[in-house]
Amino acid sequence: MDGFCAGRYQAAMTDIPVSRGFSLRAPGRTAVGVWLLVVAAMVIAMVVVGGLTRLTGSGLSITEWDPILGAIPPLSDSVWQDAFHKYQQIPQYSDLNAGMTLDGFKAIYWWEWTHRLLGRTIGLVFFVPFVWFAWTGAIARKEWPRMIVLFGLGGLQGAVGWWMVESGLEVRDSVSQYRLAIHLGVAVLLLGALLWTALEYLRSTDARGTKPVSVTLRAWSVALVGLIYVQMLLGALVAGLHAGLIYNNWPMMGWHWLPEGPFFNTPWWINFFENPGLAQFDHRMVAYAVLLIALPLAWRIRQLQPAKRAVDAAGFVFVLTITQVLLGIVTLRTHVYIPVAMLHQLTAALLFCSAVWLAFELRRLYALNA
């Protein structure tokens, strides 16, 4: 076992000459792939903590955006009082939290501060190793632009997050559901791009033991990724409209299959984004669509056995799809009980990752056997 581990380590490293008589062990492609997976895992944590700030009503507790000094939390009673006073000036306090104590404010403040600190940490965990990998040659110069785009997506995510918070500071007592969906959408795009890039670094071009897959299967796997992405955006709309707090039975909505007055707003199409009942209905319907695509696709791949990694990815898609649908029903039935809702959001991110993994493996198999 020791010899095997040593061989794996040496295969992932190359010698970089630093000075005469001395060389520095530089990381290889495997190390880059593992680093990107770590960053992707941190993005998943960011999504979950962001969901918790929403569920606990913490997202507007910090009313200023200071990318550098904002990493330092209040360290004295006077600073705490100043932060609380600023929160008392926004509509959320007067409409929803009038009479809140300083201790109550601290409870929501720490959630939002943790969310922002995690975002800053992700930036550092990406940037510092990237500089090292680029300098040692583990990331080739031709691959630098892609990494810069990934870093830029992370920065964009921070800017969109503040843009979202701004929407709840002056008139509304919560953030705009549109900006919430965009904020989540950028995070999920970043997550998918990180995972795909990591897999390209980790997977070999060896075609031994693989079987070809059809263009149709590849297309369905890509469609599944897109549908899960749309479903996550619809989940953000449901959260932004507090639509999970109504129609808490299943499979019907109240005593009907459709929400009452689904198109009472004009123009009619605006109801898909601003009518809580219709937003929840859409979220339910797309969940069924994900179920109807994911399960047959995963089952078919397990029948074909094109490659072990593809079968493994299909297995994750199968299990996580069923788990996510069940968690969605339980979240609804428990009136958005926070621990269940948190698991629902975490499973959504994991399901998206497993679908991206499956799409990657099928694309790789198609290319290897073309």
Side-chain angles (χ1 to χ4, degrees):
M1 179 60 72
D2 291 342
F4 173 76
C5 292
R8 292 280 292 178
Y9 176 79
Q10 291 173 0
M13 308 294 282
T14 55
D15 285 337
I16 296 293
V18 176
S19 62
R20 188 174 182 180
F22 178 75
S23 66
L24 183 67
R25 285 289 184 182
R29 292 183 65 84
T30 300
V32 175
V34 171
W35 160 63
L36 289 171
L37 286 181
V38 170
V39 178
M42 294 180 71
V43 172
I44 292 176
M46 184 80 170
V47 169
V48 173
V49 174
L52 283 170
T53 64
R54 178 66 186 173
L55 292 166
T56 57
S58 307
L60 297 176
S61 57
I62 302 178
T63 59
E64 296 177 335
W65 189 38
D66 190 337
I68 299 176
L69 295 180
I72 303 173
L75 300 175
S76 65
D77 289 341
S78 62
V79 179
W80 272 115
Q81 289 289 351
D82 181 61
F84 188 28
H85 176 71
K86 290 175 181 176
Y87 177 69
Q88 289 173 317
Q89 309 309 306
I90 69 173
Q92 186 182 81
Y93 174 80
S94 57
D95 293 349
L96 303 177
N97 294 324
M100 172 183 278
T101 64
L102 179 60
D103 286 339
F105 171 71
K106 289 180 179 180
I108 63 173
Y109 183 98
W110 283 120
W111 276 118
E112 177 63 11
W113 180 82
T114 301
H115 183 53
R116 297 191 186 193
L117 180 66
L118 184 55
R120 294 179 173 97
T121 304
I122 291 172
L124 286 174
V125 172
F126 185 93
F127 181 75
V128 175
F130 165 66
V131 173
W132 167 251
F133 288 137
W135 180 69
T136 59
I139 299 177
R141 185 179 295 271
K142 66 180 181 180
E143 296 168 329
W144 290 4
R146 177 193 287 194
M147 298 299 175
I148 293 171
V149 169
L150 291 176
F151 186 73
L153 271 176
L156 176 63
Q157 173 68 354
V160 170
W162 174 246
W163 178 61
M164 177 191 70
V165 169
E166 277 188 319
S167 67
L169 296 181
E170 295 183 1
V171 179
R172 302 169 58 101
D173 57 24
S174 61
V175 300
S176 163
Q177 72 272 24
Y178 299 109
R179 299 189 188 188
L180 178 63
I182 293 171
H183 186 47
L184 177 63
V186 175
V188 176
L189 280 178
L190 175 60
L191 175 60
L194 284 167
L195 179 58
W196 191 279
T197 306
L199 290 170
E200 288 187 343
Y201 275 88
L202 292 170
R203 303 296 281 120
S204 71
T205 58
D206 187 357
R208 289 176 296 178
T210 67
K211 300 177 184 178
V213 294
S214 66
V215 174
T216 302
L217 277 180
R218 281 188 58 203
W220 278 113
S221 69
V222 173
L224 179 62
V225 172
L227 194 60
I228 294 171
Y229 181 76
V230 170
Q231 175 70 336
M232 294 180 75
L233 297 186
L234 289 175
L237 289 179
V238 168
L241 294 168
H242 305 284
L245 300 176
I246 59 175
Y247 298 115
N248 296 107
N249 60 323
W250 183 86
M252 300 181 72
M253 303 184 74
W255 297 104
H256 307 281
W257 292 105
L258 288 172
E260 296 181 16
F263 297 103
F264 65 80
N265 288 319
T266 54
W268 65 270
W269 53 265
I270 204 71
N271 288 279
F272 290 101
F273 310 103
E274 299 190 359
N275 182 336
L278 191 58
Q280 189 195 116
F281 175 80
D282 295 340
H283 195 50
R284 291 187 184 205
M285 293 302 107
V286 176
Y288 299 147
V290 170
L291 195 69
L292 290 174
I293 293 176
L295 298 191
L297 176 63
W299 186 260
R300 179 59 178 160
I301 290 169
R302 291 186 69 84
Q303 285 182 320
L304 293 174
Q305 297 282 315
K308 183 180 184 304
R309 296 294 178 88
V311 174
D312 290 343
F316 275 100
V317 168
F318 191 93
V319 172
L320 288 172
T321 298
I322 295 175
T323 302
Q324 179 66 348
V325 170
L326 293 176
L327 281 172
I329 295 169
V330 176
T331 300
L332 194 64
R333 294 287 294 169
T334 59
H335 296 256
V336 195
Y337 180 52
I338 289 179
V340 177
M342 179 192 69
L343 285 174
H344 187 49
Q345 185 142 359
L346 172 61
T347 307
L350 294 177
L351 175 58
F352 176 79
C353 288
S354 66
V356 169
W357 180 22
L358 179 59
F360 176 89
E361 294 296 341
L362 295 185
R363 178 182 180 276
R364 174 179 172 274
L365 289 171
Y366 183 84
L368 289 175
N369 293 282

